[in-house]
Amino acid sequence: MIAEAGLAALWLAAAMALFQIGMAWAGASGGADSPLYLRATRGVALAQGVLAATAFAMLIWVFARSDMSVLLVVDNSHSLKPMLYKLSGAWGNHEGSMLLWVTVLAVAGAAVALFERRLEERTLAATLGAQALIGMGFYAFLLFASNPFARINPAPADGQGLNPLLQDPGLAFHPPTLYFGYVGLSVAFSFAVGALLVRDVGPAFARAMRPWVLAAWIFLTIGITAGSYWAYYELGWGGWWFWDPVENASLMPWLAATALLHSVTVLATRDGLRAWTLMLAVVAFSMSMVGTFLVRSGILTSVHAFAVDPLRGSFILILLGLYIGGALLLFATRVGTVKQGATFEFVSREGALVINNLLLSVILGVVLIGTLYPLVAQAMGEQLSIGAPFFNKVTVPVALALVVVTVAGPLLRWRRDTWRALGRRMLMPFAASIAAAMLLFLFARDAGLYPILGLIFAAGLAVGSLLPLVGRNLRRTPLHIWGMAIAHLGVAVSIAGMAADSGFTKERLAAIPIGESLEVGPYRVTLADVGPTVGPNWSALEARLEARRGEGAVFLLRPQQRYFSNPVTSTSEAAIATRWDGQLYAVLGNGSDQGRWQLRLWWKPFVTLIWGGGGLIALGGVLSLVGRLWRERRKRQAEEDDE
Amino acid sequence: MKPKHQRMVLAALAMVAVVGAGGLALSGLRDEAAFFYAPADAKEAPPETGRAVRLGGMVAAGSIQRAADGVTIDFVVTDGKESVPVTFTGVVPDLFKEDSGVVAEGHFNADGSFTATNLLAKHDERYMPPEVAGAMHKSETLDQ
């Protein structure tokens, strides 16, 4: 019954979405009855959110109960699985993740309907209408092409399990995090469409859109950081970024959202960059759709294993074409009626933000071309693949230029400034870079060009990002200034981690008998023993490694080769020891007939800074969001008190 | 600057960004794209030695040989038409075995052999990398 209830809720939610489009249309057209329709639109959006959430809750329920009469549960779960992975099995597959997508979309629409007070009513109605229109495509997709509640008859005794690679707490929460980000961008897109429809683009619209962009960006940042760390410790190859299409699928919306976040600030603060911001909102959401398409259609080869189904791929591709094409068409026909915003001098905060946007767009364009080019080539009958060398070579120089702009931007005044003043304020960051360059020249001359440049630029950015806080009363400094400083500092920390990892990593690979030792970096690692061990739904061969740094204490590392029976797979579980100055990373390979075991060891100095920096970036976003919302609430309260 | 002019400048800058991204990407693609080779492609038009490329095909039956150091293996990648000897030092992926698909990243040597720095094989028995499937298909069609 529960599966049927879920399906019914899904149909009702789809009906509500259709209804919502009609109400919004009537409301936004501005007829005599439109106030009535506007109120109705809010109510319908609320109902749609509740119904979609109900459907998703039902899906989680059938997974929690391991109801093997539901096909999706059979395919993706097993009664012996730990509860966390039973639940995450609900969205760790194609149908479930699409249902999650549309649920977050509907709930976000309901939240807009419930809380949004800044927007003009007609713009809000147009926004909710656009939101429902996006939702309709996904409802149709779920109901006609991939019903998550389909039954199987007769029901098998048990399920087939979940891909063991996905049985990891990090990955259980990874897709929802990214989806919150994607869907947050869909709200920004709906705002842009709504604003274009009623020709109302200005600071009020930007201030309404900004929290959504910020929230989406925070989730994307966390999602990418967590995904990178997951790939690093779970795949056992010691790398933190592969330039894999699935990774690029999350990076592209993040790049667009980062650009949008900065341009929407110009629009909110200075009423500039109107058309540009609308365009970026369209692009950012398009990138979420492209990302969903790449991940869910299985059209590209990826090191991450996901379902492959060309039919569903084409369905998403059609949706993609309709949404992006429609939005671009609307943009092209309406942007002429958007009034010119405020102007500014080139040397100013706005000017720096324009350069920031351009550089981010260039990186985005390169990543997009690099990701899609193999597809195009394939369509033209040529097989090729594009790897890390291409992306690194093309993006790193642009990213380094972006670092310079990131230092300069916050040091410039709004509207107009002078080169001279900028030069004076850039002295400190420049000195920090010179100091870093000298230290590297003395101690690490052979680290390689990019790592050295990365560390030099990171040092300048670290100092530069904190300068906006210097000379202020720190307790009275608005939270969003703190947020900006911390996020920029996070970028510097991440870059330092990436540079240190690629410049100073030490690696050892050998097959040794039990009792023998290997040296890697400052560590001496002895293979003490290899033996069997078991977990809840796997068995494993586990090595005991005794590691020691100089004369320090001996500690144990236990890398494993795991074997899963449902489905039959084996994975390699790396053992990682974290120290303040880096990580020791060990992987167990195969054993040989002569009683030797393959061991792969890495000493990765300061590699943790990569994800620590990601955390700081997200923290900066959170501070900024909280600060802005808090400020607005206080302002609104003050206004209400005046009345 | 007049508002209208500023708008034109911004539009021009946007164009510069788009063209710049395209140009950068194309120049990068020309130099650095790790092109995919099937053994038959490599025989026909060998890539210059040392350039980072990918080699894909099936691991020939009975070709895997382990070296004395325990971490180096030699094997032969074939597409049914031609074959290339490959040397790889490292931990092989779980599903790397004879008669199944593999993509090797690395470079060709002057003698036509291949040195792999990385092997890609998926965690799924049914999986065959699309490039391999395509390359097999191409070679088979060429035979007829």
Side-chain angles (χ1 to χ4, degrees):
Chain A
M1 271 316 285
I2 294 161
E4 281 69 34
L7 189 60
L10 193 60
W11 273 105
L12 284 175
M16 283 297 154
L18 199 61
F19 197 35
Q20 185 173 333
I21 298 169
M23 290 292 113
W25 188 271
S29 60
D33 295 334
S34 68
L36 184 72
Y37 291 124
L38 291 173
R39 267 202 303 281
T41 312
R42 282 191 192 248
V44 174
L46 212 58
Q48 192 209 334
V50 171
L51 284 166
T54 308
F56 189 62
M58 295 297 155
L59 186 69
I60 291 188
W61 194 347
V62 293
F63 266 88
R65 288 187 14 176
S66 296
D67 184 345
M68 292 303 162
S69 66
V70 176
L71 181 63
L72 197 64
V73 180
V74 175
D75 283 344
N76 295 288
S77 194
H78 192 277
S79 56
L80 292 178
K81 231 165 37 162
M83 185 48 100
L84 173 66
Y85 303 126
K86 278 190 188 174
L87 299 186
S88 68
W91 59 78
N93 61 74
H94 172 83
E95 286 84 356
S97 67
M98 284 292 122
L99 181 57
L100 175 64
W101 222 112
V102 82
T103 301
V104 182
L105 191 75
V107 170
V112 173
L114 207 54
F115 299 117
E116 187 52 59
R117 295 273 174 266
R118 284 157 297 203
L119 272 189
E120 207 233 322
E121 281 288 323
R122 282 181 55 217
T123 317
L124 178 71
T127 302
L128 288 175
Q131 188 80 2
L133 199 61
I134 299 171
M136 275 313 293
F138 284 92
Y139 285 122
F141 185 37
L142 279 164
L143 293 170
F144 300 124
S146 32
N147 173 14
F149 296 104
R151 294 277 192 183
I152 179 169
N153 194 8
D158 214 331
Q160 310 201 328
L162 172 73
N163 183 346
L165 279 177
L166 302 179
Q167 290 192 33
D168 180 274
L171 214 67
F173 297 107
H174 181 237
T177 314
L178 279 182
Y179 281 10
F180 286 140
Y182 283 3
V183 172
L185 289 178
S186 83
V187 178
F189 172 83
S190 299
F191 270 98
V193 170
L196 276 170
L197 281 174
V198 297
R199 300 185 174 87
D200 169 33
V201 185
F205 152 77
R207 277 195 285 272
M209 181 161 99
R210 181 161 56 187
W212 291 98
V213 179
L214 200 48
W217 179 81
I218 293 166
F219 279 115
L220 286 174
T221 308
I222 295 173
I224 292 172
T225 308
S228 158
Y229 194 64
W230 171 80
Y232 170 80
Y233 75 75
E234 180 67 34
L235 298 182
W237 52 283
W240 49 274
W241 193 260
F242 200 74
W243 290 109
D244 181 90
V246 171
E247 291 171 338
N248 293 347
S250 64
L251 179 65
M252 291 189 287
W254 185 86
L255 289 168
T258 308
L260 177 59
L261 191 61
H262 289 90
S263 84
V264 83
T265 299
V266 177
L267 184 53
T269 320
R270 295 278 320 139
D271 196 15
L273 302 184
R274 287 178 165 186
W276 180 262
T277 303
L278 288 178
M279 187 67 201
L280 274 180
V282 172
V283 168
F285 176 63
S286 306
M287 289 304 134
S288 317
M289 288 291 297
V290 169
T292 312
F293 168 68
L294 289 179
V295 175
R296 285 296 153 202
S297 66
I299 196 162
L300 286 173
T301 342
S302 160
V303 290
H304 308 267
F306 289 108
V308 178
D309 185 343
L311 189 100
R312 287 167 178 168
S314 4
F315 202 119
I316 304 183
L317 192 60
I318 291 169
L319 280 188
L320 188 79
L322 282 179
Y323 291 158
I324 301 178
L328 287 178
L329 194 69
L330 185 71
F331 183 82
T333 51
R334 286 294 174 92
V335 77
T337 65
V338 173
K339 282 207 199 79
Q340 172 75 36
T343 60
F344 52 86
E345 292 294 313
F346 180 72
V347 184
S348 66
R349 179 79 65 88
E350 294 96 316
L353 289 174
V354 168
I355 305 292
N356 142 309
N357 270 228
L358 289 177
L359 294 176
L360 282 168
S361 307
V362 169
I363 298 177
L364 174 59
V366 168
V367 176
L368 184 68
I369 292 171
T371 310
L372 296 185
Y373 187 72
L375 263 185
V376 177
Q378 197 175 359
M380 297 190 307
E382 195 182 352
Q383 291 290 345
L384 62 88
S385 46
I386 292 171
F390 164 78
F391 289 105
N392 287 340
K393 180 181 173 183
V394 180
T395 56
V396 170
V398 187
L400 290 179
L402 189 57
V403 169
V404 178
V405 184
T406 311
V407 176
L411 301 178
L412 283 162
R413 290 178 210 286
W414 289 105
R415 236 159 97 79
R416 131 187 339 228
D417 209 327
T418 62
W419 282 110
R420 209 193 168 121
L422 175 64
R424 212 169 45 235
R425 291 177 216 134
M426 292 280 277
L427 271 181
M428 281 287 288
F430 187 66
S433 286
I434 296 290
M438 277 161 47
L439 283 175
L440 286 167
F441 183 75
L442 287 177
F443 299 112
R445 224 176 297 185
D446 51 356
L449 178 64
Y450 278 168
I452 285 181
L453 281 179
L455 286 170
I456 292 174
F457 279 65
L461 178 57
V463 170
S465 60
L466 294 176
L467 281 186
L469 294 174
V470 172
R472 279 175 172 269
N473 179 339
L474 288 185
R475 281 163 99 190
R476 299 186 132 207
T477 303
L479 266 185
H480 68 261
I481 307 274
W482 277 101
M484 175 186 75
I486 288 175
H488 286 179
L489 180 65
V491 177
V493 169
S494 270
I495 292 176
M498 295 169 196
D501 175 55
S502 60
F504 305 121
T505 292
K506 298 272 185 290
E507 182 184 356
R508 273 308 291 276
L509 169 73
I512 54 172
I514 287 167
E516 215 163 272
S517 305
L518 286 176
E519 297 205 10
V520 59
Y523 287 92
R524 184 178 181 80
V525 179
T526 310
L527 176 62
D529 187 24
V530 179
T533 179
V534 288
N537 55 349
W538 46 264
S539 62
L541 269 180
E542 185 178 82
R544 276 171 15 111
L545 303 176
E546 293 173 358
R548 189 175 199 193
R549 182 179 194 158
E551 294 304 304
V554 173
F555 58 92
L556 272 184
L557 286 171
R558 301 165 178 273
Q560 297 175 337
Q561 285 274 11
R562 277 191 194 168
Y563 304 96
F564 291 80
S565 51
N566 269 303
V568 180
T569 354
S570 57
T571 64
S572 173
E573 291 290 308
I576 301 175
T578 307
R579 295 293 174 267
W580 70 271
D581 59 344
Q583 288 186 326
L584 181 62
Y585 190 117
V587 176
L588 174 67
N590 302 323
S592 75
D593 307 338
Q594 298 92 26
R596 296 200 297 177
W597 297 89
Q598 292 180 335
L599 274 186
R600 187 163 213 172
L601 304 171
W602 281 281
W603 166 242
K604 294 176 160 291
F606 297 106
V607 68
T608 39
L609 292 184
I610 297 173
W611 308 289
L616 278 180
I617 298 173
L619 173 67
V622 170
L623 287 181
S624 190
L625 184 62
V626 169
R628 299 246 187 236
L629 291 179
W630 180 251
R631 227 183 185 194
E632 262 173 42
R633 216 184 117 192
R634 283 231 315 257
K635 216 153 106 198
R636 214 165 36 233
Q637 266 171 354
E639 276 165 18
E640 279 165 17
D641 290 348
D642 283 348
E643 279 165 13
Chain B
M1 208 171 350
K2 276 191 197 139
K4 203 172 162 188
H5 289 150
Q6 183 147 48
R7 205 171 203 185
M8 304 261 286
V9 170
L10 286 180
L13 280 175
M15 287 300 292
V16 168
V18 171
V19 174
L24 259 179
L26 287 183
S27 79
L29 283 176
R30 206 167 30 239
D31 305 347
E32 288 286 346
F35 281 99
F36 182 87
Y37 286 84
D41 302 335
K43 276 275 158 32
E44 200 175 295
E48 54 190 285
T49 55
R51 188 160 74 87
V53 293
R54 288 181 186 175
L55 171 72
M58 306 296 274
V59 180
S63 72
I64 299 181
Q65 292 188 336
R66 297 177 194 279
D69 69 355
V71 288
T72 302
I73 58 166
D74 293 300
F75 58 95
V76 171
V77 167
T78 175
D79 55 4
K81 199 180 174 206
E82 296 288 351
S83 49
V84 176
V86 178
T87 304
F88 171 70
T89 304
V91 177
V92 299
D94 297 323
L95 286 166
F96 174 81
K97 54 182 183 239
E98 290 175 356
D99 264 339
S100 71
V102 68
V103 174
E105 296 183 322
H107 60 264
F108 281 95
N109 304 310
D111 61 357
S113 68
F114 191 86
T115 303
T117 52
N118 195 16
L119 295 185
L120 304 175
K122 283 238 173 165
H123 287 264
D124 181 344
E125 306 97 284
R126 288 162 302 177
Y127 173 76
M128 180 190 254
E131 288 107 333
V132 176
M136 300 287 292
H137 179 71
K138 208 159 84 182
S139 314
E140 278 161 18
T141 344
L142 284 174
D143 283 339
Q144 288 159 7

